Amino acid sequence: MENKDKLGLEIKGIMEEEAFNVTLSQTTVDNIVKHKKKKLSHKINDFLNKEIEIPLAPSIIGLAALLLITIIPKDVLKSQNERTIDFGGSQVIVRESYEVSKK
């Protein structure tokens, strides 16, 4: 068993000496990293670390639309049945409303 360990260490030492001055090009390193199988935790980490670019103009328009929808009362958008009755120089506006309010 010791002979195998010594032989392994000797082979490892020889390989390290021969590969000491070897350098890889950037494209080779990129290919190795690109084709390396990733664990699920690395995939999740990569997904969570992605940058999200949101264009400024559409995001402002969307935020303004959301604020308008939440701020404007609901009655403004409803069509109301109104009748105007003229009494001499006065006008009476009659609205038909089906609202129920709690008091």
Side-chain angles (χ1 to χ4, degrees), residues 16 19 37 53 70 83 91 95 98:
E16 285 178 353
K37 270 202 160 188
E53 294 182 14
T70 56
R83 288 186 289 154
Q91 292 182 343
R95 292 184 181 151
Y98 301 106

Side-chain angles (χ1 to χ4, degrees), residues 5-100:
D5 290 340
K6 286 182 183 180
L7 180 63
L9 290 174
E10 190 174 330
I11 292 173
K12 182 180 177 185
I14 293 169
M15 291 297 291
E16 285 178 353
E17 283 179 27
E18 289 185 15
F20 181 73
N21 291 329
V22 175
T23 57
L24 298 174
S25 68
Q26 188 61 37
T27 55
T28 306
V29 173
D30 291 342
N31 282 335
I32 291 171
V33 170
K34 183 179 174 182
H35 296 295
K36 176 183 169 187
K37 270 202 160 188
K38 294 183 180 181
K39 294 181 182 178
L40 181 62
S41 60
H42 287 118
K43 289 180 181 179
I44 292 172
N45 196 18
D46 289 344
F47 176 74
L48 293 176
N49 286 327
K50 284 193 178 198
E51 285 187 27
I52 299 174
E53 294 182 14
I54 301 174
L56 186 60
S59 61
I60 290 174
I61 293 170
L63 181 63
L66 180 66
L67 288 175
L68 285 175
I69 289 172
T70 56
I71 292 174
I72 294 177
K74 295 177 185 174
D75 296 343
V76 171
L77 301 176
K78 289 183 182 177
S79 62
Q80 298 177 352
N81 294 331
E82 295 181 353
R83 288 186 289 154
T84 306
I85 302 172
D86 290 323
F87 287 117
S90 301
Q91 292 182 343
V92 177
I93 299 173
V94 179
R95 292 184 181 151
E96 294 180 18
S97 179
Y98 301 106
E99 294 182 19
V100 177

